[in-house]
Amino acid sequence: MKSESDGYSGFWDQGSQGLRNQAAVIAVLGAVMLVGCDVAPNTAKRAPGNNRAVMDITMQQAGERADSMLDATLNAIKPEVNWTHSGTSGGSCDVSRSRMVMTIISKERRGNFLGVLQRFWEKNGYMIKSVNMSEKFPAIFAQSSDGFGVSLVVGGAGQVAFEVDSPCVKPSEVADPTTPANGPDYDYPIPRPNVHSDFWSSTTPISSALPTASAG
């Protein structure tokens, strides 16, 4: 496996409290990953010698659940975007899947892009844990009802990364994802976005619903 549109416009410009650097975004993402391991349904058990609740599925099943969340998330983006798998990682009792968007998302359409995903997650019962309103490196962190963390982070060159992190589960081997990438499936190093979209890459702003700062 690899190692690693209704609403108001101008949200990111009006609500931002200044740019945050990528290191800060990554630090927040790490914190969300750790929190994810502590959340599980009421049926969860306790691992021997471990204070974390263990969800009654294997790491392989958690990986498949993460894949299905990523599939649904990316399928909600219209027009569709090109993406590549960008890694599977596992801890002592958790697994993460990530994908990188290869379509160029212009800064003028970035807020609309994030708004689409926030509304999709909310519609599907996800709790929005936090929204980073940085103009340059915005991000959204959410959580499913069964304790899986999902995030959207905009990084260098405006490249969008998605990641799903499982709660603590039963250890097992984890196979690579079976969903084919939408476009070339890169190994490292993954290039910067290189696919033009008449819609998402356009530099013409549009007025449509953008992410909200409130967290559930």
Side-chain angles (χ1 to χ4, degrees), residues 3 11 18 56 58 61 91 98 112 128 130 154 157 161 167 195 199 204 214:
S3 62
F11 174 85
D56 195 22
T58 65
Q61 291 171 313
S98 57
N112 308 108
I128 304 301
S130 66
V154 177
V195 179
F199 183 81
T204 302
S214 59

Side-chain angles (χ1 to χ4, degrees), residues 106-152:
S106 70
K107 64 180 181 180
E108 290 82 5
R109 299 290 171 97
R110 190 177 296 158
N112 308 108
F113 185 88
L114 271 71
V116 167
L117 276 307
Q118 180 174 343
R119 294 193 300 279
F120 172 76
W121 287 340
E122 291 174 331
K123 181 179 179 180
N124 284 272
Y126 293 11
M127 177 184 293
I128 304 301
K129 305 292 286 186
S130 66
V131 177
N132 180 343
M133 300 183 343
S134 165
E135 182 180 349
K136 191 173 182 180
F137 300 124
I140 304 175
F141 301 92
Q143 188 177 66
S144 68
S145 60
D146 55 353
F148 282 71
V150 59
S151 62
L152 180 170

Side-chain angles (χ1 to χ4, degrees), residues 13-89:
D13 292 332
Q14 296 169 11
S16 177
Q17 298 179 0
L19 299 181
R20 302 180 186 177
N21 58 36
Q22 282 180 282
V25 173
I26 293 170
V28 173
L29 177 57
V32 172
M33 290 170 63
L34 290 175
V35 170
C37 267
D38 290 333
V39 179
N42 293 333
T43 56
K45 303 175 181 178
R46 296 282 171 179
N50 191 331
N51 289 328
R52 290 183 290 180
V54 179
M55 192 175 182
D56 195 22
I57 61 172
T58 65
M59 292 175 72
Q60 173 60 33
Q61 291 171 313
E64 292 168 359
R65 165 68 170 142
D67 290 337
S68 70
M69 290 173 64
L70 288 168
D71 289 346
T73 293
L74 285 156
N75 287 338
I77 303 170
K78 306 296 180 186
E80 68 177 15
V81 295
N82 282 46
W83 59 268
T84 180
H85 292 285
S86 55
T88 297
S89 60

